Amino acid sequence: MATMLWLQTGACSGDTMSLLNAHGPSLESLVANGDIQVLWHPSISTEPTSHLAKLIEQIEKGERELDILCVEGSLITGPYGTGMFDSFRGRAKIDIVRALAGQAQAVLAVGSCAAFGGIPAAPPNPTDCTGMQFTRDTAGGMFDTAWRSKSGMPVINLGGCPTHPLTITRTLAMLAQGLPVELDAHNRPTAFFNQMVHQGCTRNEYHEYDVEDTELGGRACMFFNLGCQGPTTMANCNSELWNQRSSKTRAGVPCFGCTSPNFPKNGDLFRTEKMGEVPVTLPLGVSRGHYMAYKNLAQAAAPMRVRDKKMDT
Ligand code: SF4
Ligand code: SF4
C-alpha cells in the first residue's frame, strides 16, 4: 500500500474536485483495494490540522515513510523569495514542499499551476509563482532540472486546469503498483499525453473542410476565429470524456490549451490571432505554405452537408 499526502499551495481546489470525480479508478476504490493510504488530503481528512503538522514533522525526520507527495497549486515564492504569502503555521509552504519532496518516492504536480506555474504565474505574477520543476515551458522551477525524488524520478507533471480525473487516479494506481511511468519532454506521463485534443473532436470534419464558426454556440470548427487550441494541445479530453459525457469542444467551447506549459496564453482565449487570413499558430507539425494551399482546396471541396453545418457535433 502506497502512502499519499496531498498539499495545496496556491490552488483553487479544481484538481481536488477533479480527483473526487474520478470513476475508473475512483480514489475510493484505490483506498478500498489497499493501493493507496491517504495520510492527508485537505478535503477528505477529518483530523484537525495539528495532525498534518505532526505528519510533516514525522516525514521530515524520516520517522514515517511517504511514497507519493501530491502538490496542487502554484508555488508562491513571494514576497522577496520568502514564500510567506502562503504559509502553514508560520512556515512557508514552499519550504514544507521542499522538505516532504526530499523524502517522497514520487512527487506529482497535480494541475498546471503546480507543474508549470499556471494562472497565478501569468503576467504580472504579483506573488512570484512558479511551477515545481518548470517555469512555464522552461525546465527549472522551484526545483532545478537535476532534482529527483527518492525513486529517481523528476516531478511528474499532470498538466491540466484542472487535471483530468482519470489522469490523476491512473497515475496514482501506476505508482502504487510499481509500474513504470514514462514521461514526455515536459515530464507529463506519455500514457495520458500522447494525443491532441483535436483527435476525437466531433468537429473534425468541419476543420478538414475549413468550415468555421465566427460566434460561440455554433456547430462548426472553432480553430480559425474562436481561439481553439485543440490541434496544438496534448491531452485526452476527447478520448476520455469528462464525467463520461462531454468535453469543452463537444460543448461548443474552444480548447484553451490548459495542459500545455504556456497556459494561459497571453491574449484573448476566445479569439484566434491571425497573420493575414491564417492563424499564427498552426496545427502541430504543419507548414504554413502547405496549410494555405490545403485550406483553399478544402473549402472548395466541402460537401453541402458540411457547409450547411447540418452535422451533429
Ligand atoms: S491548475 Fe487550474 S484547477 Fe488546478 S489549482 Fe491551478 S487554477 Fe485551479
Ligand atoms: S473545434 Fe478545435 S479541436 Fe475541434 S476540430 Fe476544430 S480545432 Fe480541432
Side-chain angles (χ1 to χ4, degrees):
M1 180 181 291
T3 55
M4 185 268 269
L5 187 144
W6 184 294
L7 269 188
Q8 280 180 336
T9 48
C12 74
S13 293
D15 304 286
T16 285
M17 295 299 113
S18 197
L19 170 74
L20 298 178
N21 271 335
H23 66 278
S26 63
L27 180 63
E28 304 92 282
S29 67
L30 289 175
V31 171
N33 293 342
D35 290 315
I36 295 286
Q37 180 193 359
V38 180
L39 297 181
W40 176 266
H41 186 292
S43 299
I44 300 171
S45 297
T46 52
E47 297 93 342
T49 50
S50 57
H51 178 68
L52 172 61
K54 189 81 191 152
L55 280 172
I56 292 170
E57 189 185 330
Q58 289 172 339
I59 293 166
E60 263 192 278
K61 288 182 178 167
E63 294 169 4
R64 188 187 273 262
E65 293 198 354
L66 178 61
D67 294 309
I68 306 169
L69 172 67
C70 294
V71 177
E72 175 185 13
S74 205
L75 286 304
I76 297 177
T77 67
Y80 309 113
T82 64
M84 290 305 288
F85 276 148
D86 183 25
S87 61
F88 175 66
R89 297 191 161 204
R91 188 177 176 198
K93 292 253 191 83
I94 51 171
D95 289 342
I96 297 173
V97 169
R98 268 195 204 99
L100 296 185
Q103 299 290 340
Q105 293 294 330
V107 177
L108 299 185
V110 189
S112 289
C113 283
F116 307 116
I119 292 173
N125 193 2
T127 50
D128 295 334
C129 285
T130 182
M132 291 190 77
Q133 209 171 4
F134 269 79
T135 304
R136 295 178 71 82
D137 65 351
T138 304
M142 194 183 85
F143 293 126
D144 63 27
T145 52
W147 185 92
R148 294 293 180 269
S149 65
K150 277 195 163 172
S151 66
M153 298 279 287
V155 173
I156 298 170
N157 288 331
L158 305 185
C161 188
T163 305
H164 194 290
L166 302 186
T167 298
I168 308 175
T169 54
R170 288 182 185 172
T171 305
L172 288 174
M174 288 166 81
L175 291 171
Q177 288 164 18
L179 298 173
V181 180
E182 191 189 317
L183 304 179
D184 71 6
H186 294 114
N187 291 350
R188 301 172 297 191
T190 52
F192 313 112
F193 294 91
N194 61 6
Q195 59 188 283
M196 291 178 289
V197 171
H198 184 64
Q199 286 171 264
C201 177
T202 47
R203 295 164 189 253
N204 247 320
E205 198 170 10
Y206 290 113
H207 182 81
E208 283 165 21
Y209 287 115
D210 191 23
V211 175
E212 300 283 336
D213 277 333
T214 52
E215 289 180 8
L216 293 169
R219 297 163 70 93
C221 179
M222 297 173 278
F223 180 64
F224 255 73
N225 305 306
L226 299 176
C228 186
Q229 296 175 57
T232 58
T233 302
M234 304 302 283
N236 51 358
C237 297
N238 275 319
S239 57
E240 296 281 3
L241 297 182
W242 288 71
N243 295 327
Q244 304 176 69
R245 176 169 292 271
S246 194
S247 68
K248 269 208 190 73
T249 56
R250 284 175 196 229
V253 179
C255 166
F256 296 149
C258 78
T259 57
S260 300
N262 281 327
F263 170 79
K265 75 173 184 184
N266 196 6
D268 186 344
L269 292 175
F270 293 96
R271 195 163 56 86
T272 305
E273 297 296 333
K274 290 190 207 158
M275 205 186 285
E277 285 189 6
V278 180
V280 170
T281 306
L282 295 179
L284 286 180
V286 174
S287 81
R288 184 159 296 273
H290 286 149
Y291 196 79
M292 287 173 79
Y294 167 80
K295 171 179 146 0
N296 292 333
L297 286 173
Q299 256 178 5
M304 209 43 110
R305 70 187 157 79
V306 177
R307 273 189 235 178
D308 289 351
K309 303 182 187 175
K310 284 194 172 146
M311 291 162 51
D312 278 341
T313 52

